[in-house]
Amino acid sequence: MSAPRMGTVALAVRREQDQLILLDHFSDEREIAAVEEALRSGDSNPLDAAYLVRERRSIEDEEFGNYVEDLLSRPCVRPEVQDHGVQWLKSKIKIERFQKSEREASTVIADYAFRLYQEDPAKVDFILAGPAAQVRVRIFEIPKAAERDRSQVA
């Protein structure tokens, strides 16, 4: 029996005087990789890279959803194609419910992990483990020059 895949929650934090601020958190591997790469390359606003990944994925999902909806609304589409389209829509609804639950869970994990980080700022890469799951927590300290947060990037 193989071990379940471990998810990751990454926290973007900034030091401001003697205070730590949680700017945002990410659980999508592509968004985490984008932040990591932006930090490595010296990007002045590394969170923008993650928001760009998120925006592109959202646009792609919307475009494909529009395509399926358009396909289903055509009167001369074969029944098999309609069935596949309906199944895709049902799957999309399930995926959206799962993603909502995942976002809620990652927020709880991020809040808890941030409190742990505030107590011990040396913890920048650690595992939170429960009876049925493990989550890797990574902390990215965002340079002070990166002043914008997600509310300003939309």
Side-chain angles (χ1 to χ4, degrees):
M1 180 170 108
S2 66
R5 186 174 158 267
M6 184 183 321
T8 301
V9 174
L11 281 62
V13 301
R14 182 176 65 224
R15 290 185 191 281
E16 201 165 276
Q17 297 162 358
D18 291 335
Q19 188 176 4
L20 287 168
I21 298 168
L22 176 60
L23 299 173
D24 206 346
H25 70 279
F26 305 93
S27 60
D28 180 89
E29 294 295 332
R30 293 166 291 190
E31 292 176 9
I32 294 169
V35 171
E36 189 171 32
E37 180 57 34
L39 283 168
R40 196 175 10 255
S41 68
D43 189 329
S44 63
N45 288 301
L47 299 184
D48 287 352
Y51 301 141
L52 185 59
V53 168
R54 186 179 296 167
E55 182 180 347
R56 284 180 184 156
R57 189 180 59 245
S58 176
I59 289 169
E60 288 169 3
D61 288 349
E62 185 175 334
E63 286 174 352
F64 189 73
N66 290 342
Y67 169 75
V68 171
E69 187 177 316
D70 179 55
L71 194 61
L72 290 174
S73 65
R74 293 181 186 176
C76 57
V77 174
R78 293 190 328 235
E80 312 86 66
V81 174
Q82 287 180 334
D83 288 343
H84 286 292
V86 169
Q87 290 305 315
W88 180 84
L89 288 171
K90 288 179 181 179
S91 294
K92 182 167 176 48
I93 291 168
K94 288 179 184 176
I95 289 168
E96 286 174 352
R97 285 185 193 139
F98 173 79
Q99 288 172 333
K100 181 178 185 276
S101 295
E102 184 182 66
R103 278 191 305 274
E104 291 169 356
S106 72
T107 298
V108 170
I109 291 166
D111 289 342
Y112 179 69
F114 183 63
R115 288 196 306 270
L116 292 176
Y117 178 68
Q118 286 176 306
E119 293 170 10
D120 184 1
K123 286 186 170 187
V124 293
D125 194 343
F126 56 95
I127 306 289
L128 291 176
Q134 292 184 346
V135 176
R136 179 181 181 196
V137 176
R138 298 182 62 198
I139 309 292
F140 294 123
E141 192 163 324
I142 307 301
K144 185 136 173 80
E147 292 294 325
R148 296 187 292 169
D149 64 23
R150 72 178 148 168
S151 64
Q152 295 170 317
V153 180

